[in-house]
């Protein structure tokens, strides 16, 4: 039994202003609006400006989450940022965000788990709250994928967008119905080559050649990921349900990673879960990696879909491969 | 499972997953060209076979299942071994 309970206190999100439609992409690569919509459900995505970095989006999302909560800046005692497209290789984007927020004397770090980065970060935060070490942790999922996209590869470049979502995870009273109930997180590093950015790290440092060959961009075997994604998210959700003696019909909402509507529909189908209780916004933002779930949660709460007392499952998969699921009462 | 039962089950899965009439499911029918599936439908179809027959079909083998007949033959062989 943990000493304390953890709950989601508030959310905030931000996407950059520039909108890129499927029709805009038709002018860049050999693709069609029809193909993109049928295969992915995507219609638009937002791209950051050249001068905008991950911490800029994260800052606005974090400010919004703070404003939506009763908390002050000084109440935050830790920052975790889930991202694979941080401002720099180092220092962490969390430290840059700390500077922007004017917070002092707290630990700040980034967490790299591909598109599962937000769920992993929430899980870490949950443990710091439950063991009594921290009270209020700012968790952000942020990504600027448009800057690591290979616009010569039509099978990947249409899929990604930029955005940020933030939440504050707080210690809560035992009698509060709202709490993060359970989580499962997994990885399978033997499949790390299915989705990765080849150059820019110590394996293949930047050189003229890596730039010319477009190796600082996303490489993906979409077909293999597709099957893995459905199987892994289903297994994670199923494990959570069983362990908590729940059935799919007990769940009010599922908020899945927004990577492909076809993956989401297939997952819902396997779970015998109705699509009208699945939060979907992929048509507006495409895949923003670790930002998809916090953006979707922020919108669903503001649209009064997800309400206090609702039982919600979050589930994601991504590069690593990583995957996981979280069960929470809001 | 005998070969008739396998065949019946395969046809039923194809009917449900691809939303096609039973009369269209002939051995020569190609999932993409004749049964209007796209490449992602075929992945889901293979997953449905895996679930129904409790087997794993490696991705390398997926290309061997392009028609109804090929799928039935592949599954019969796989289940016999
Ligand atoms: C990426 C994805 C949509 C591609 O769909 P797919 O059906 O697997 O596509 P394939 O790569 O098999 O390509 C099928 C055909 O479409 C073509 N195609 C690929 N991208 C295209 C595009 N943007 N526009 C038009 N045609 C395209 C391919 O060239 C191929 O044509 P061919 O059969 O003539 O060779 C799908 O695999 C997917 O969503 N995978 C999961 C990826 C994911 O979620 N990643 C994020 C993880 S966090």
């Amino acid at each position: 039994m943990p000493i304390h309970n953890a709950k989601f206190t508030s959310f905030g999100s931000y996407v950059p202003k520039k909108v890129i439609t499927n029709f805009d992409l038709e002018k860049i690569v050999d693709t069609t609006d029809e193909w993109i919509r049928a295969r992915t459900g995507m219609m638009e995505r937002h791209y950051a400006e050249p001068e905008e970095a991950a911490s800029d989006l994260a800052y606005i999302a974090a400010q919004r989450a703070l404003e939506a909560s009763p908390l002050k800046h000084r109440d935050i005692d830790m920052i975790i940022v889930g991202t694979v497209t941080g401002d720099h290789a180092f220092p962490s984007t969390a430290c840059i965000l700390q500077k922007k927020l004017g917070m002092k004397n707290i630990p700040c770090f980034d967490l790299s788990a591909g598109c599962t980065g937000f769920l992993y970060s929430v899980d870490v935060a949950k443990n710091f709250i439950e063991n009594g070490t921290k009270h209020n942790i700012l968790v952000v999922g942020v990504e600027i994928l448009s800057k690591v996209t290979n616009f010569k590869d039509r099978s990947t470049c249409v899929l990604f967008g930029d955005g940020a979502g933030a939440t504050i995870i707080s210690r809560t009273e035992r009698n509060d119905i709202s709490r993060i109930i359970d989580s499962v997180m997994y990885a399978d590093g033997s499949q790390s080559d299915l989705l990765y950015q080849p150059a820019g790290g110590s394996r293949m440092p930047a050189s003229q050649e890596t730039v010319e060959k477009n190796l600082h961009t996303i490489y993906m075997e979409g077909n293999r990921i597709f099957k893995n994604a459905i199987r892994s998210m289903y297994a994670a959700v199923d494990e959570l349900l069983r362990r908590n003696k729940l059935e799919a019909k007990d769940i009010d909402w599922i908020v899945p990673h927004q990577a492909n509507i076809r993956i989401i529909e297939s997952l819902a189908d396997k779970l015998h879960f109705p699509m009208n209780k699945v939060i979907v916004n992929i048509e507006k933002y495409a895949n923003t990696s670790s930002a998809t779930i916090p953006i979707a949660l922020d919108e669903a709460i503001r649209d009064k879909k997800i309400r206090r007392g609702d039982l919600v499952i979050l589930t994601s998969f991504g590069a690593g491969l990583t995957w996981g699921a979280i069960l929470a009462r809001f | 499972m005998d070969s008739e039962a396998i065949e019946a089950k395969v046809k039923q899965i194809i009917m449900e997953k691809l939303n096609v009439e039973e009369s269209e499911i002939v051995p020569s029918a190609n999932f993409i060209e004749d049964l209007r599936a796209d490449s992602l439908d075929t992945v889901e179809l293979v997953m449905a076979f895996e679930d129904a027959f409790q087997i794993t079909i490696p991705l390398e083998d997926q290309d061997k299942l392009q028609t109804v007949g090929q799928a039935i033959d592949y599954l019969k062989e796989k289940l016999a071994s």
Side-chain angles (χ1 to χ4, degrees):
Chain A
M1 259 307 240
I3 309 172
H4 300 283
N5 285 340
K7 74 164 178 181
F8 292 109
T9 295
S10 65
F11 285 88
S13 65
Y14 177 73
V15 291
K17 290 189 187 64
K18 193 200 286 169
V19 176
I20 303 292
T21 66
N22 293 348
F23 299 101
D24 294 328
L25 290 169
E26 284 181 358
K27 293 176 203 137
I28 301 172
V29 283
D30 179 17
T31 189
T32 60
D33 170 58
E34 194 195 344
W35 192 97
I36 300 172
R37 261 196 293 168
R39 302 297 174 108
T40 70
M42 298 167 184
M43 293 161 76
E44 297 176 349
R45 65 286 292 139
H46 291 243
Y47 283 2
E49 297 300 324
E51 67 278 8
E52 257 176 329
S55 68
D56 300 320
L57 312 193
Y59 171 69
I60 300 173
Q63 283 285 36
R64 290 180 176 173
L66 278 157
E67 279 159 21
S69 82
L71 301 166
K72 302 268 186 303
H73 282 52
R74 62 168 182 276
D75 297 322
I76 301 297
D77 47 19
M78 181 166 188
I79 301 176
I80 310 175
V81 174
T83 188
V84 295
T85 50
D87 291 24
H88 307 285
F90 66 89
S92 70
T93 301
C95 287
I96 297 168
L97 178 60
Q98 178 197 24
K99 174 175 76 176
K100 292 191 166 159
L101 290 166
M103 294 175 179
K104 295 249 185 307
N105 287 319
I106 57 171
C108 302
F109 61 95
D110 289 358
L111 195 155
S112 166
C115 299
T116 320
F118 179 75
L119 291 198
Y120 265 61
S121 300
V122 168
D123 195 38
V124 170
K126 168 180 176 282
N127 280 283
F128 271 101
I129 300 285
E130 286 182 348
N131 69 22
T133 315
K134 298 291 170 196
H135 287 78
N136 298 292
I137 302 176
L138 173 63
V139 174
V140 184
V142 59
E143 228 68 76
I144 300 200
L145 297 171
S146 65
K147 294 191 185 180
V148 293
T149 293
N150 179 358
F151 287 100
K152 293 200 167 76
D153 175 9
R154 67 174 181 174
S155 73
T156 58
C157 76
V158 302
L159 303 173
F160 302 107
D162 305 339
T167 186
I168 297 163
I169 296 175
S170 307
R171 180 189 292 187
T172 186
E173 302 302 322
R174 283 233 168 260
N175 59 5
D176 189 347
I177 57 162
S178 301
R179 77 182 172 100
I180 301 171
I181 300 166
D182 200 1
S183 60
V184 293
M185 298 295 145
Y186 290 108
D188 177 5
S190 73
Q191 307 205 70
S192 51
D193 53 351
L194 294 189
L195 174 54
Y196 74 118
Q197 182 181 317
S202 55
R203 178 66 59 200
M204 198 188 284
S207 67
Q208 195 159 343
E209 192 191 349
T210 62
V211 173
E212 278 164 7
K213 289 187 171 163
N214 255 324
L215 296 175
H216 294 267
T217 58
I218 298 165
Y219 169 86
M220 179 174 81
E221 289 184 37
N223 220 291
R224 299 183 96 104
I225 298 264
F226 186 83
K227 190 168 167 182
N228 267 300
I230 298 165
R231 289 246 182 268
S232 60
M233 286 195 292
Y234 174 79
V237 173
D238 188 57
E239 183 180 350
L240 264 191
L241 289 174
R242 281 169 197 273
R243 192 153 82 190
N244 291 277
K245 302 194 169 46
L246 293 166
E247 291 176 43
K249 66 171 167 44
D250 301 319
I251 303 301
D252 295 301
W253 298 98
I254 292 180
V255 187
H257 173 43
Q258 312 280 310
N260 188 327
I261 191 69
R262 302 282 292 272
I263 292 173
I264 296 173
E265 284 170 352
S266 185
L267 174 69
D269 186 54
K270 278 175 74 64
L271 289 165
H272 303 293
F273 194 80
M275 274 304 288
N276 64 5
K277 296 205 287 177
V278 178
I279 302 292
V280 174
N281 64 10
I282 195 168
E283 70 285 356
K284 291 190 285 184
Y285 308 121
N287 180 352
T288 57
S289 187
S290 59
T292 62
I293 290 178
I295 293 174
L297 281 168
D298 182 41
E299 289 191 342
I301 290 167
R302 276 191 286 119
D303 293 347
K304 302 206 163 37
K305 285 182 172 169
I306 297 179
R307 292 159 187 271
R308 188 172 150 83
D310 282 355
L311 200 53
V312 180
I313 283 183
L314 319 177
T315 185
S316 188
F317 69 94
L321 298 180
T322 56
W323 67 96
I326 286 178
L327 173 70
R329 189 163 305 273
F330 273 67
Chain B
M1 195 180 262
D2 65 31
S3 94
E4 251 166 64
I6 294 174
E7 219 168 301
K9 203 161 178 178
V10 169
K11 285 185 174 168
Q12 190 203 336
I13 292 167
I14 295 170
M15 230 157 65
E16 280 169 14
K17 283 279 153 201
L18 301 184
N19 231 328
V20 291
E21 300 293 326
E22 193 170 359
S23 59
E24 294 179 89
I25 308 175
V26 293
S28 63
N30 182 293
F31 296 126
I32 292 179
E33 270 138 44
D34 304 312
L35 303 181
R36 301 171 296 280
D38 71 16
S39 49
L40 297 179
D41 292 318
T42 61
V43 179
E44 285 188 59
L45 195 58
V46 164
M47 290 174 69
F49 294 146
E50 290 180 327
D51 291 342
F53 297 106
Q54 305 202 342
I55 51 168
T56 44
I57 301 174
L59 219 80
E60 306 80 81
D61 284 2
Q62 197 154 307
D63 290 345
K64 298 180 194 161
L65 286 76
Q66 294 186 4
T67 67
V68 173
Q70 284 171 356
I72 290 170
D73 291 345
Y74 178 89
L75 290 165
K76 278 182 187 166
E77 197 180 318
K78 184 111 184 166
L79 289 163
S81 62

